[in-house]
Amino acid sequence: MCGIVGYIGSKNAATVLIDGLRSLEYRGYDSAGIAVIDQSKKLFLVKRAGKLKALVDCLVDQPVCGHLGIGHTRWATHGEPNEINAHPHYGNTMQFMVVHNGIIENHQELKQTLKKQGHRFTSQTDTEVIAHLIEKFYKGDLHKTVCKIIKLLKGSFALGIISSNEPDVLIAARKDSPLIIGIGKNENFIASDVPAILSQTREIIYLDNDQIAKITSENVVICNSKEEIIKNKKVLIDWDTASAKRAGFPHFMIKEINEQPNVIKQILNHRIKNNKIIFENIGLSEAKLKQINDIQIVACGTAYHAGLCGKYILEKLLKLPINVDTSSEFRYRDQIIVKDKTLIIPVSQSGETADTLASLRAAKEKGAKVISICNILGSSIARESDGVIYTLAGPEIAVASTKAYTAQLATFYLLAVYLGGLKGIISSKKQKELINQMQQIPELMREALKDKKKVQKVSSKYVQSYHHRLAEQFKFLEEDITEFRDPVKALLLAEKWAKMSHSTYGRRFGDFPFLYLGRNVNYPSALEGALKLKEITYISAEGYAAGEMKHGPIALIDEFPLVVCISPQSSVYDKMLSNIREIKARKGTVLSVATKGDKEIAKKDYSDYVLYIPKVDEFFSPLLVALPLQLLAYYIAVELGCDVDQPRNLAKSVTVE
């Protein structure tokens, strides 16, 4: 993996490819390259290790022109990140160029066979075998050759292939790795993700597994592995192109944090009609849903934390036991599935997460019903589920998920209320009450994120200085930046911890472990807060159930680590205060996330720092708790000079096992 773009048409392919790759930078990568063919069948190949800028700089010095091309940003799976291992790849000659996302599991076996037949390999990648196979079997028809060779490949792949022998043909093929075709006027595109071609077209065809497409500037022909012609539906993407841009913010992450109130409002407006919850694509009849008495949630990373929170939400309203598993474990254990009684809920922002997709398929084979929660229209998980609930979060560009997480939470709340009413567990009066409480959430989120008066009151000299540094770095006006700096306390706290580069014991800042503690419905919030910090600052952090602190983590407590205690007013508030006392007794430093107006927790006996959220029912508090935890991680990352939107070693969509 990670990013694929292809183009055929009348424009300069190199320009289209670079624009597309730039739009895919958020996915994470370590090298980039393009291959372009001109009308005279001349092929140009340019690859560079490192960021896309290195490739762009090379193209400025050595421009390439042509009407057909493929491009790729690579996240290393086989072979170190360098120019040789960068895509596109070719065989003994440079007649065939291949870009590939996925993993070819039998590449070593194929490689040994090809070597015995005289093929010379230059890279350490699994992808190179594909180019050699095409070269071996090519007999004048690239499309037929690809149809033949993919039957020899084991594993997953999304392929873009061009040949100087057929300078008017772009081939795309897919198995278990996402690939889309963009339809234009006298031009067509391929890409691994919608943002790559969103500025060029909104008309998309999603390739299904084991499909191969022959693409010209005028036509797209799709066939299956038996070479039978298939008619895939076209999908119109309604995302605004501006939503895939920073819109004046220094990073996508802070933009997406601040989009959350509008995202939740949009979800509620779309799903709630006349005090009733509507799921237009849920896929199962009310009679089928009433039969469900076993719900299992599968997800990875941030989506897994949303699923854990979903467990608390669903159990409270449905009075059913809910199981949650990481997809990478669920797919390999002996799942207990009861046909027509078990509902699997895969959760995935991209709808392409490899382990989650595999878990979905394993569960369906055993007779489970599947309703997925995902963000991307027409994604693999959405298409292979019985039903889907789209989270309507719009494109999320930063690798560290923020708005997709709270959108997933909101979806679980709505699903729980809907199923509770359907099963007769929740009265219509209680449904209306819960819906009314949810409809207050967007405004409460805005309150948590923006309080301009506080901006002026809290250390305004430092804040103005910080704004000036950002304005200088990103060439924005200070008044533009002040729109999204809240809560300032998080900023000031981040500065303190980020600048503590050495201690009296000689430890660096990165050596200080952070501990996040939460209880009940906010235990998953602690896990997610710790993950956000790890992802973008590279600081060791651990989320823990607060009641488990005495069973190990308390050994970490001294004056150096920061312990983040999620302590809003709730049924477990007194228990959290007890945990905090235990931490303070050992000279621990405590940051509390607390309910606005809570003066007790602000006392030095309890907290060294407090980040407040507006008053909200404990049941809905995870939606608000997420915000200061996201901001804390973001501000620390900025102060440390980290690459906030593209953290090292991470990819936005994990499409390989």
Side-chain angles (χ1 to χ4, degrees), residues 177-400:
S177 283
L179 195 63
I180 62 173
I181 299 170
I183 307 300
K185 187 176 181 180
N186 300 321
E187 61 181 2
N188 289 305
F189 312 80
I190 64 170
S192 50
D193 206 351
V194 170
I197 54 177
L198 191 59
S199 63
Q200 306 285 346
T201 181
R202 295 177 187 230
E203 198 170 10
I204 302 296
I205 294 174
Y206 287 91
L207 279 184
D208 286 324
N209 263 354
D210 300 315
Q211 290 187 339
I212 308 99
K214 181 179 180 179
I215 305 165
T216 67
S217 58
E218 302 288 341
N219 198 23
V220 175
V221 178
I222 301 171
C223 70
N224 60 21
S225 58
K226 297 178 182 178
E227 299 187 43
E228 300 166 331
I229 302 299
I230 305 294
K231 291 288 185 182
N232 287 23
K233 289 183 179 180
K234 295 177 183 178
V235 176
L236 188 65
I237 301 297
D238 60 0
W239 288 351
D240 184 354
T241 54
S243 63
K245 297 179 180 178
R246 286 204 308 257
F249 290 86
H251 301 99
F252 279 109
M253 185 178 178
I254 189 66
K255 171 179 176 280
E256 288 157 5
I257 288 172
N258 280 272
E259 286 175 344
Q260 289 173 105
N262 287 339
V263 167
I264 302 304
K265 184 175 182 179
Q266 179 177 315
I267 292 170
L268 298 177
N269 288 344
H270 184 83
R271 298 287 179 211
I272 299 171
K273 306 294 182 186
N274 299 319
N275 276 322
K276 290 188 177 180
I277 296 169
I278 307 297
F279 294 118
E280 65 273 22
N281 299 309
I282 202 163
L284 299 178
S285 67
E286 290 188 355
K288 288 283 187 185
L289 288 170
K290 286 179 181 178
Q291 291 178 10
I292 299 297
N293 60 15
D294 171 39
I295 297 177
Q296 301 182 35
I297 301 168
V298 291
C300 302
T302 286
Y304 170 68
H305 297 154
L308 280 174
C309 198
K311 170 185 171 70
Y312 287 89
I313 296 165
L314 291 165
E315 284 184 342
K316 184 175 181 66
L317 296 188
L318 301 186
K319 311 304 180 187
L320 288 175
I322 310 296
N323 293 312
V324 188
D325 212 342
T326 55
S327 305
S328 56
E329 291 299 319
F330 178 89
R331 64 182 292 192
Y332 290 115
R333 67 176 174 82
D334 189 13
Q335 306 99 2
I336 308 301
I337 304 291
V338 180
K339 189 176 181 180
D340 294 329
K341 300 289 185 181
T342 297
L343 175 66
I344 300 295
I345 305 179
V347 188
S348 168
Q349 189 281 139
S350 67
E352 302 291 350
T353 310
D355 285 321
T356 305
L357 184 56
S359 295
L360 180 161
R361 291 169 177 164
K364 285 194 76 173
E365 284 180 6
K366 291 190 173 184
K369 299 300 181 184
V370 180
I371 298 174
S372 58
I373 295 175
C374 64
N375 192 36
I376 305 301
L377 185 71
S379 58
S380 297
I381 288 174
R383 293 200 308 276
E384 296 192 30
S385 300
D386 295 299
V388 57
I389 303 173
Y390 289 111
T391 53
L392 309 175
E396 186 178 66
I397 306 301
V399 168

Side-chain angles (χ1 to χ4, degrees), residues 526-541:
L527 297 176
E528 176 60 13
L531 178 61
K532 283 287 120 2
L533 191 74
K534 284 185 281 193
E535 284 179 318
I536 64 172
T537 69
Y538 321 134
I539 294 168
S540 176

Side-chain angles (χ1 to χ4, degrees), residues 588-605:
T589 304
V590 174
L591 162 65
S592 293
V593 177
T595 302
K596 196 171 184 178
D598 184 352
K599 296 180 180 179
E600 181 70 14
I601 204 165
K603 293 177 180 178
K604 282 296 180 183
D605 290 345

Side-chain angles (χ1 to χ4, degrees), residues 607-654:
S607 306
D608 298 275
Y609 310 96
V610 181
L611 293 176
Y612 286 108
I613 61 169
K615 187 174 182 179
V616 67
D617 188 281
E618 176 186 11
F619 185 57
F620 293 107
S621 61
L623 285 163
L624 298 187
V625 165
L627 305 181
L629 299 182
Q630 292 167 357
L631 287 164
L632 182 65
Y634 171 78
Y635 291 138
I636 291 176
V638 169
E639 287 289 345
L640 288 172
C642 298
D643 192 343
V644 174
D645 289 334
Q646 299 169 41
R648 69 189 185 203
N649 303 332
L650 296 181
K652 182 66 176 174
S653 303
V654 182

Side-chain angles (χ1 to χ4, degrees), residues 451-458 486-489 612:
D451 186 347
K452 293 181 182 178
K453 292 181 180 179
K454 187 181 288 187
V455 171
Q456 303 304 319
K457 290 180 180 178
V458 181
D486 265 31
V488 173
K489 281 188 177 181
Y612 286 108

